[in-house]
Amino acid sequence: MNALSARLKDYLRLRRHLGFKLRLAGGLLRRFVLFAQKKKASVITTKLALEWATQPPNCQPSQWANRLGMVRRLAQYVSALDPRTEVPPPGLLPHRYHRKAPYLYRDGEVRRLIRTARELDSPKHLRGATASTLFGLLAATGMRVGEAIGLDRHDVDLQQDLLTIRHAKGNRSRLVPIHPSTRKALRRYERLRDQICPHCVSPSFFISDRGARLIDCTVRYWFICVSHQTGLRKPTDHRGPRLHDLRHLFSIKTLLHWYRMDRDVETHLPELATYLGHRHVADTYWYLSATPELLQLATRRWVSGKGVTLS
């Protein structure tokens, strides 16, 4: 192991102790170190970082900027240990990140998504039940995909209607209460899972036909297949509604419920932020995309607060 490889290993260990998972960044930075070795470079320079970041040439500028940002953060760490290190200045590959506008699911689309997922076939006939229950859980709780597939069996307390999310984003844990209807669906899946795989050694609550924990890319592939079948995406579409948009749906429905119950929404927003696993309420505002009904309710609340009546 050369010096740069050792620096990278220490850097990744430190960042992960701070709560960053760095799954993608870790792999890409290891490629950067291999690139440096091929170039016979023992230190990080701006020229080296730029040359690596702009490969392959047919990538989007956002990917180039993201790759350079990863190397820049590594260089900042290494510069404290090796003064020969050059830290690429910010703005060399300017690109402003624009978050993709969420797709606002209709209730019928979610029901059709879950119903169609139930029909996914597999040798042991478990895939359909797993996919439909998982998609339903995401819609009912607003959980992240990684949090749902990371659930172990002892994290799902169906007696107390409570889920325990461990080591979520930012390396934080939280408790997620669930509705009785969600508990009923989870219990139904649990019984089928144990009937099909009675001797499964994986501690995971959601499992594949092989009895292993699900992985993110598999779940997203299922979703793409189902979204094509339901018409959410056209057969040739590579982009469209995402699983993550179910998180937006949950947030909007929660807000609508509060408005209809005439609750103080601003006071309750920290509760929603905690439920979603956000560190700051500001992170939750992104999920509260405007819908016609939401705008109407918010406007009525604002006007009535001003002492004006609506006709």
Side-chain angles (χ1 to χ4, degrees):
M1 181 183 294
N2 64 17
L4 195 53
S5 295
R7 304 292 192 207
L8 173 60
K9 184 177 180 181
D10 293 340
Y11 167 76
L12 293 175
R13 184 187 300 116
L14 174 62
R15 293 288 305 277
R16 283 167 177 154
H17 278 317
L18 294 174
F20 298 93
K21 298 188 184 301
L22 301 178
R23 293 192 183 98
L24 175 62
L28 286 174
L29 287 173
R30 280 188 282 271
R31 293 184 191 178
F32 168 71
V33 169
L34 290 174
F35 177 81
Q37 291 174 355
K38 290 179 181 178
K39 293 288 183 178
K40 301 188 184 302
S42 58
V43 296
I44 299 174
T45 64
T46 299
K47 179 181 178 182
L48 181 72
L50 274 172
E51 188 177 353
W52 177 79
T54 52
Q55 294 182 358
N58 59 345
C59 279
Q60 295 292 325
S62 59
Q63 292 179 280
W64 289 348
N66 189 40
R67 286 159 64 95
L68 183 61
M70 293 177 187
V71 178
R72 185 173 184 274
R73 288 185 285 274
L74 172 63
Q76 288 175 322
Y77 168 81
V78 176
S79 65
L81 306 169
D82 187 345
R84 299 174 300 164
T85 303
E86 294 180 11
V87 179
L92 283 180
L93 296 175
H95 175 77
R96 187 170 183 177
Y97 174 66
H98 297 281
R99 299 182 81 166
K100 182 179 179 181
Y103 179 82
L104 302 179
Y105 288 96
R106 298 181 181 88
D107 289 344
E109 290 174 331
V110 176
R111 287 194 292 269
R112 190 160 61 250
L113 185 75
I114 295 172
R115 187 168 57 248
T116 305
R118 198 175 294 132
E119 298 170 1
L120 289 173
D121 197 16
S122 61
K124 291 187 177 181
H125 308 292
L126 182 62
R127 182 181 301 165
T130 301
S132 60
T133 307
L134 180 59
F135 294 170
L137 181 64
L138 297 177
T141 64
M143 294 170 60
R144 302 176 179 95
V145 176
E147 293 172 347
I149 63 179
L151 287 171
D152 284 340
R153 301 184 188 204
H154 64 265
D155 296 327
V156 180
D157 187 344
L158 299 182
Q159 297 295 324
Q160 301 293 325
D161 291 348
L162 201 63
L163 307 180
T164 301
I165 310 298
R166 305 180 192 276
H167 310 299
K169 191 173 182 179
N171 205 29
R172 297 187 300 275
S173 300
R174 71 184 189 279
L175 299 176
V176 175
I178 57 174
H179 191 270
S181 61
T182 304
R183 176 233 304 151
K184 184 178 179 181
L186 293 176
R187 191 178 296 282
R188 184 166 57 245
Y189 172 75
E190 183 180 54
R191 289 169 179 163
L192 179 63
R193 179 202 66 200
D194 293 345
Q195 178 184 344
I196 294 176
C197 299
H199 305 296
C200 179
V201 296
S202 172
S204 178
F205 185 82
F206 291 105
I207 61 172
S208 67
D209 267 30
R210 295 177 299 169
R213 186 183 300 276
L214 300 176
I215 57 176
D216 185 271
C217 62
T218 297
V219 175
R220 296 187 189 279
Y221 174 73
W222 290 349
F223 171 77
I224 291 172
C225 292
V226 172
S227 62
H228 283 153
Q229 292 177 38
T230 57
L232 279 172
R233 296 189 185 193
K234 295 179 181 178
T236 57
D237 284 351
H238 296 289
R239 298 180 183 275
R242 304 164 300 167
L243 266 177
H244 193 72
D245 292 329
L246 292 173
R247 191 164 160 86
H248 291 268
L249 176 68
F250 172 83
S251 303
I252 292 168
K253 280 188 166 293
T254 300
L255 200 62
L256 284 171
H257 174 70
W258 286 342
Y259 272 116
R260 291 166 183 159
M261 297 294 290
D262 198 29
R263 294 184 179 177
D264 187 338
V265 175
E266 287 295 324
T267 300
H268 285 285
L269 270 178
E271 298 173 11
L272 178 59
T274 301
Y275 191 91
L276 291 173
H278 289 150
R279 188 186 298 271
H280 303 292
V281 175
D283 297 328
T284 308
Y285 283 121
W286 167 247
Y287 291 91
L288 306 181
S289 305
T291 64
E293 185 180 3
L294 183 57
L295 283 174
Q296 185 181 42
L297 289 170
T299 301
R300 282 183 179 174
R301 177 72 61 83
W302 181 81
V303 173
S304 62
K306 294 290 186 180
V308 180
T309 57
L310 292 175
S311 57

